[in-house]
């Protein structure tokens, strides 16, 4: 296929419009509708892997668009009533099909690359951690748009009806929705009996991926391989339908997509823990003395280490030998709904914790002390820190620093937490110093073990 022929095809087809529509729709979803943007460390422009995964999640909407445009392109010869004329020319059908699919593939791949570029420029300013682990995620995303368009072309050629493009687009949208909401998910129960859902193997047949819940999670290699096989089978079927001239040839053309689905299901993992895995390179710790962060957050280390060391010094002065000796970013990603496990020696922090994320300067030192004293035991990913735990944090940090202050920006919620903490704080400060220390140690033990209510312990109640 010469460049001259490709330029002509781009001028006389809907291929450029398909690329423009996909790009504009994606940017509108991100910037106007606020879809798939994330916040904090998982924002779509915070890290390279988050960028790749968030743009892949948009394929729930973009993939049906690509398939619909492909079907519209496949109807071109039928609409112009040139099918019989073209079959009588000496030029092989596969050459014409290659020109058609090549133009559309180029525009759709370019549109997706531009989308990634828009986010990538912002990622460069937000992180110092550069790697290529995100590239397979984006390459499979671009391939999925091309495969959808080529399959749509083949379907449009095989079923030359004005209803084919909208029917295919709607069918593709229903498919991606079902993979995300019902057919692609399995209901499970946490250790505490809370129902939750996990993606299953079928969900990986959709090009769209889960929303980013942790910056350290990425797709595993078997997922990339299985999805690539499935999408190549889809594209091969679309191309075969484009050049098929008989009903028998059209039936045979379905073989690649069916074989691709079977092979993909044999390759794709069935265990959710093998679908989304921790990126070991990203989770590697970078330390400044007793304070460590993962490589994704290494740009924060200089300022964070200063406040972390100060927090450890103050905790040692207040708790003595029972104080933690290090502060580390939590590099583990337990299942959603699981009960967290904490250590007395190490303070594990999450930069997406509202208290840590909003704190700067001396407020960060206070937030680290509060987190060290009461890390929180709410089920992971299902609930925020409870009101009782927040009040206990305020009291514990106030006891170490000398006075209780709100954690985070002043709001109705923080006023409520301060009102909850105030009478317990006054009661605690009225006790002899030895009794105060005893209650603080008991509260800390209950908070770390997740076997009691720290606030009730500070109030003089027994641990549950």
């Amino acid at each position: 296929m010469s460049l001259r022929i490709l330029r002509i095809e781009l001028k006389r087809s809907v291929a450029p419009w398909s690329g423009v529509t996909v790009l504009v729709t994606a940017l509108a979803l991100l910037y106007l509708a606020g879809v798939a943007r994330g916040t904090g460390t998982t924002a779509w422009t915070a890290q390279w892997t988050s960028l790749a995964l968030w743009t892949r999640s948009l394929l729930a909407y973009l993939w049906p668009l690509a398939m619909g445009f492909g079907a519209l392109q496949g109807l071109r010869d039928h609409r112009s009533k040139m099918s019989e004329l073209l079959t009588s020319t000496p030029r092989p059908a596969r050459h014409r099909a290659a020109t058609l699919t090549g133009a559309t593939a180029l525009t759709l791949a370019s549109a997706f690359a531009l989308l990634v570029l828009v986010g990538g420029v912002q990622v460069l300013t937000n992180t110092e951690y550069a790697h290529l682990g995100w590239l397979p995620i984006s390459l499979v995303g671009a391939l999925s748009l091309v495969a959808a368009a080529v399959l749509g072309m083949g379907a449009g050629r095989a079923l030359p009806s004005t209803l084919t493009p909208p029917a295919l687009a709607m069918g593709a949208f229903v498919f991606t929705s079902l993979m995300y909401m019902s057919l692609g998910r399995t209901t499970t129960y946490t250790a505490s009996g809370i129902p939750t859902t996990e993606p299953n193997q079928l969900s990986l047949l959709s090009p769209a991926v889960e929303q980013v819940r942790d910056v350290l999670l990425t797709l595993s290699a078997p997922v990339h391989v299985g999805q690539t096989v499935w999408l190549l089978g889809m594209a091969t079927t679309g191309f075969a339908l484009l050049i098929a001239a008989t009903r028998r040839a059209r039936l045979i053309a379905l073989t690649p997509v069916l074989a691709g689905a079977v092979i993909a299901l044999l390759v794709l993992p069935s265990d959710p823990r093998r679908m989304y895995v921790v990126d070991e390179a990203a989770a590697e710790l970078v330390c400044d003395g007793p304070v460590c962060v993962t490589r994704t957050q290494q740009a924060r280390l200089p300022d964070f280490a200063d406040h972390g060391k100060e927090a450890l010094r103050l905790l040692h002065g207040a708790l003595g030998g029972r104080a933690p000796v290090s502060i580390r970013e939590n590099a583990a990603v337990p299942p959603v709904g699981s009960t967290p496990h904490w250590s007395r020696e190490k303070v594990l922090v999450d930069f997406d914790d509202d208290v840590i994320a909003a704190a700067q300067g001396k407020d960060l030192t206070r937030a680290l002390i509060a987190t060290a004293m009461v890390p929180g035991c709410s089920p992971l990913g299902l609930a925020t820190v409870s009101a009782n735990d927040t009040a206990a944090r305020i009291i514990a940090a106030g006891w170490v620093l000398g006075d209780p202050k709100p954690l985070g920006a002043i709001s109705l919620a923080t006023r409520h937490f301060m009102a909850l903490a105030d009478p317990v704080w006054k009661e605690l400060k009225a006790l002899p110093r030895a009794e105060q220390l005893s209650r603080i140690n008991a509260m800390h033990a209950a908070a770390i073990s997740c076997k009691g209510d720290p606030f009730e312990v500070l109030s003089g109640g027994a641990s549950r």
Side-chain angles (χ1 to χ4, degrees):
M1 179 174 59
S2 68
L3 291 177
R4 183 178 64 86
I5 295 175
L6 180 60
R7 283 197 300 268
I8 294 171
E9 187 64 38
L10 288 172
K11 289 179 181 179
R12 64 191 290 264
S13 70
V14 299
W17 291 107
S18 64
V20 170
T21 303
V22 163
L23 179 59
V24 171
T25 301
L27 293 175
L29 288 170
L30 287 167
Y31 288 106
L32 299 181
V35 175
R37 293 190 64 174
T39 58
T41 64
T42 60
W44 83 290
T45 56
Q47 298 289 336
W48 289 103
T49 301
S50 298
L51 166 66
L53 290 172
W54 278 121
T55 50
R56 277 286 299 274
S57 71
L58 290 175
L59 292 176
Y61 309 98
L62 305 182
W63 197 65
L65 271 180
M67 190 171 292
F69 269 105
L72 187 62
Q73 182 84 320
L75 290 177
R76 186 181 64 183
D77 293 345
H78 175 75
R79 293 198 313 269
S80 60
K81 300 182 174 19
M82 292 179 59
S83 300
E84 292 184 7
L85 176 61
L86 290 172
T87 56
S88 66
T89 62
R91 189 183 181 200
R94 64 180 180 275
H95 289 182
R96 296 195 303 273
T99 303
L100 186 66
T101 57
T104 303
L106 178 62
T107 57
L108 287 173
S110 299
F112 195 76
L114 283 173
L115 175 64
V116 174
L117 180 62
V118 169
V121 171
Q122 298 173 74
V123 171
L124 285 173
T125 65
N126 291 332
T127 183
E128 294 180 359
Y129 177 53
H131 62 104
L132 294 178
W134 60 274
L135 198 54
I137 303 173
S138 293
L139 289 176
V140 173
L143 174 61
S144 71
L145 289 176
V146 173
V150 175
L151 182 63
M153 290 180 206
R157 181 68 61 85
L159 303 170
S161 167
T162 55
L163 296 178
T164 300
L168 272 181
M170 183 56 67
F173 181 72
V174 170
F175 173 77
T176 57
S177 299
L178 288 176
M179 291 299 101
Y180 182 76
M181 293 188 297
S182 56
L183 292 179
R185 304 196 69 83
T186 302
T187 300
T188 60
Y189 293 87
T190 66
S192 56
I194 301 174
T196 184
T197 61
E198 295 178 337
N200 59 31
Q201 191 181 40
L202 283 178
S203 69
L204 298 177
L205 294 179
S206 169
V209 299
E210 296 281 296
Q211 293 187 350
V212 184
R213 72 177 181 90
D214 195 287
V215 69
L216 299 178
L217 287 181
T218 188
L219 290 172
S220 65
V223 172
H224 298 319
V225 174
Q227 290 183 334
T228 300
V229 170
W230 159 238
L231 293 171
L232 288 176
M234 188 184 298
T236 304
T237 286
F239 191 83
L241 286 173
L242 265 178
I243 63 177
T246 64
R247 180 175 296 180
R248 182 172 180 273
R250 293 188 185 103
L251 289 175
I252 294 174
L254 299 176
T255 303
V257 71
L258 296 176
V262 172
I263 295 173
L265 289 173
L266 292 175
V267 174
L268 293 170
S270 57
D271 186 349
R273 290 168 294 184
R274 293 179 56 233
M275 298 176 190
Y276 295 87
V277 296
V278 173
D279 185 338
E280 298 296 340
E284 182 182 344
L285 293 177
V286 180
C287 299
D288 181 352
V291 181
C292 303
V293 298
T294 62
R295 291 186 65 191
T296 61
Q297 306 301 325
Q298 60 190 11
R300 301 187 185 210
L301 183 58
D303 179 66
F304 185 73
D306 291 341
H307 295 288
K309 292 173 184 177
E310 176 65 9
L312 289 174
R313 184 187 67 79
L314 292 169
L315 285 166
H316 185 268
L319 301 178
R322 299 176 66 90
V325 295
S326 66
I327 295 177
R328 297 188 177 188
E329 181 184 356
N330 194 351
V333 187
V336 173
S338 59
T339 301
H341 298 281
W342 308 116
S343 165
R344 186 181 62 80
E345 292 81 14
K346 292 183 294 186
V347 180
L348 298 179
V349 300
D350 182 352
F351 285 111
D352 284 326
D353 184 326
D354 292 340
V355 172
I356 300 294
Q360 293 181 348
K362 292 183 178 180
D363 289 340
L364 179 56
T365 303
R366 180 178 291 271
L368 289 172
I369 292 172
T371 302
M373 298 295 284
V374 186
C377 294
S378 300
L380 295 172
L382 296 180
T384 57
V385 177
S386 67
N388 272 14
D389 280 356
T390 301
R393 282 181 168 185
I394 292 171
I395 296 169
W399 188 82
V400 173
L401 294 170
D403 62 326
K405 290 184 178 179
L407 299 172
I410 299 297
S411 64
L412 288 176
T414 55
R415 290 192 181 97
H416 168 70
F417 298 143
M418 286 298 295
L420 186 64
D422 187 61
V424 179
W425 165 257
K426 291 178 179 177
E427 178 186 341
L428 178 68
K429 292 299 290 182
L431 297 173
R433 180 68 182 182
E435 180 62 23
Q436 291 180 34
L437 180 60
S438 175
R439 284 200 187 183
I440 289 293
N441 284 334
M443 178 276 303
H444 188 217
I448 294 298
S449 66
C450 289
K451 293 182 179 179
D453 186 332
F455 186 70
E456 290 296 326
V457 174
L458 285 174
S459 303
S463 224
R464 287 199 305 265

